[in-house]
Amino acid sequence: MRRTDPEGHGPVRFGPPPPAQGLPVLPELAAVLSAAAGHSHAVPPGGSSSLLDAACGYWDRRGLPTAPDRAVAAPGAPALLLALTAAIGGDVLLPRPCAAWWEPQARALGRSVFHVATPAECGGVPDPYALLETVRRIRAEGGDPRLLVLCVADDPTATVAPPELMHEAMEAALGEGLYLVSDETWRDTLHDPHDTVLLSPAEMLPDRVTVVTDLAGPFLPPGWPAAVARFPGDGAGAGLRDRVLDVLTALGARVATPVAAAATYALDEPAPVTERLAATVRLHARVAVAVHRAVVAAGAFALPPRAGRHVYADLAPLRSALAAHGVGDAQEAEDFLTVRLGMPAPGGHRFGDELGALRVRLSTAPFLGATDAERARVLTATDPLELPHVERALRALGTALEDLR
């Protein structure tokens, strides 16, 4: 089956990965991983005590006190979400759009998935009224909605849900008896942390929320899979953690020993890690602003990026020009722009949006360079946008979009 066959739109094997850092590995992280490569022991399912202690310290510093017996580690967030979905049961609700890797976990378990519209000003969190309507419709049709997955700092829209909207969504979810999984992979990538308020659902509903963080967001390269989950401190949280641990054990989902060492080091947040994270966030924020500017200048639409390493572009205003190139849906927009830009441009259908909507996610990593030398230069440049290879890539994007006006 070819990717462009209509019945093949959106298969899991073609799903886009989360936006990458696109930078050389931090030398201190590489040294820790290398030093642990000679260890023959396996990390136990759920994580070693040192890894879980480090995860608890990470959450403590973010106002979410956590005990080690309320934490679990796994080789990536997809394994954690799969285990959580299996342990909680019932139907799953997701905002539209949402991270590309969320829905496949529920589908793999045979669970029904229902998307809920998000408000105009942000993604990642369902519109409260749409959530209530969706839950009641599912129950009226004999369904059993139990789990809501959301993301305050969102992939794919790169927005951050305002606290007042989060409160309303949490009240609606609580009133309907839903359990929440909060994907906080991108919480440490706020472009302007002094002007953006990020409120974790776990701060509002401490007994009904499990927090999941994939360390590929703030700390680790994507080839070193590791993620951590924080469970509520009450008895129900302990029971859920135990069921999740059972699933991870059955799957053999252990964090590799060298990766666990690197994850422990990163979660302790020593100076090299925090300095690299701050530099990485500043860099991607600068590039994201430039990408957003190019999208808007061409007459398309995108919400201003507030977090992460991506921009979610709505090309609907360019529909007639795209139609002249044979582009009529998100899959065709993905194929067309991937070739035209020379970089991935996954369509919105990968993220739960309608196939007919002309939306694509543009990651900022490809603009940083094609070689390690180019990527290293952007980290130290006074103005990375003035580097020739970055300027060329941004100009190519602007030209490609302007040609569609």
Side-chain angles (χ1 to χ4, degrees):
M1 179 184 295
R2 297 183 300 111
R3 293 177 62 209
T4 51
D5 289 340
E7 63 271 21
H9 287 178
V12 173
R13 63 186 180 278
F14 298 132
Q21 292 183 18
L23 296 168
V25 176
L26 180 68
E28 289 82 357
L29 270 179
V32 171
L33 182 130
S34 179
H39 297 169
S40 60
H41 68 275
V43 173
S48 63
S49 59
S50 58
L51 175 53
L52 298 182
D53 285 341
C56 292
Y58 166 85
W59 283 310
D60 287 346
R61 291 188 292 275
R62 285 153 181 79
L64 296 172
T66 310
D69 65 354
R70 294 296 185 271
V72 161
L80 283 174
L81 185 56
L82 180 72
L84 280 160
T85 304
I88 293 169
D91 300 331
V92 180
L93 294 104
L94 307 175
R96 169 176 282 145
C98 67
W101 58 271
W102 288 1
E103 185 170 345
Q105 313 309 310
R107 297 294 188 192
L109 294 169
R111 302 290 166 74
S112 295
V113 176
F114 299 89
H115 287 274
V116 185
T118 52
E121 66 266 31
C122 70
V125 176
D127 176 87
Y129 298 103
L131 177 62
L132 292 172
E133 180 182 347
T134 302
V135 169
R136 290 165 187 170
R137 174 175 55 82
I138 295 170
R139 288 181 176 146
E141 295 173 356
D144 182 22
R146 295 191 202 173
L147 173 61
L148 169 64
V149 187
L150 45 74
C151 189
V152 184
D154 185 43
D155 171 23
T157 65
T159 58
V160 178
E164 58 273 16
L165 172 64
M166 183 61 62
H167 274 292
E168 293 173 3
M170 295 305 95
E171 288 179 0
L174 180 62
E176 296 297 333
L178 300 177
Y179 192 86
L180 279 73
V181 170
S182 176
D183 177 9
E184 300 189 5
T185 295
W186 303 102
R187 71 166 296 153
D188 295 309
T189 66
L190 299 185
H191 295 175
D192 189 353
H194 301 294
D195 194 41
T196 305
V197 178
L198 185 150
L199 186 63
S200 169
E203 298 178 61
M204 289 179 281
L205 293 177
D207 296 334
R208 299 288 296 175
V209 178
T210 290
V211 174
V212 171
T213 300
D214 196 308
L215 301 187
F219 300 132
L220 300 183
W224 302 3
V228 289
R230 175 193 183 273
F231 293 83
D234 63 356
L240 178 58
R241 178 188 182 272
D242 290 344
R243 296 196 300 276
V244 166
L245 191 54
D246 284 343
V247 176
L248 294 175
T249 303
L251 294 173
R254 305 167 184 254
V255 182
T257 300
V259 174
T264 301
Y265 174 78
L267 285 165
D268 281 334
E269 298 185 282
V273 169
T274 57
E275 291 167 3
R276 166 58 78 87
L277 176 58
T280 300
V281 171
R282 286 195 300 270
L283 172 61
H284 282 281
R286 289 291 309 281
V287 176
V289 168
V291 172
H292 178 262
R293 186 183 303 122
V295 168
V296 174
F301 174 75
L303 290 170
R306 304 295 186 197
R309 304 187 281 261
H310 47 285
V311 172
Y312 198 53
D314 186 346
L315 307 179
L318 307 178
R319 184 176 291 275
S320 59
L322 285 166
H325 293 277
V327 175
D329 64 23
Q331 178 65 59
E332 292 165 349
E334 172 183 314
D335 293 340
F336 176 74
L337 288 176
T338 295
V339 171
R340 195 176 183 98
L341 300 177
M343 62 181 66
H349 61 302
R350 310 289 186 189
F351 310 102
D353 257 334
E354 297 292 342
L355 179 63
L358 291 174
R359 300 187 181 107
V360 295
R361 187 189 69 187
L362 302 173
S363 296
T364 49
F367 294 90
L368 305 185
T371 67
D372 279 347
E374 288 180 342
R375 298 181 191 113
R377 286 177 63 197
V378 297
L379 270 174
T380 57
T382 303
D383 186 352
L385 301 188
E386 293 185 352
L387 291 175
H389 68 276
V390 177
E391 187 178 17
R392 281 195 302 271
L394 289 170
R395 187 167 61 248
L397 170 66
T399 300
L401 294 176
E402 283 289 344
D403 288 347
L404 298 172
R405 286 181 69 94

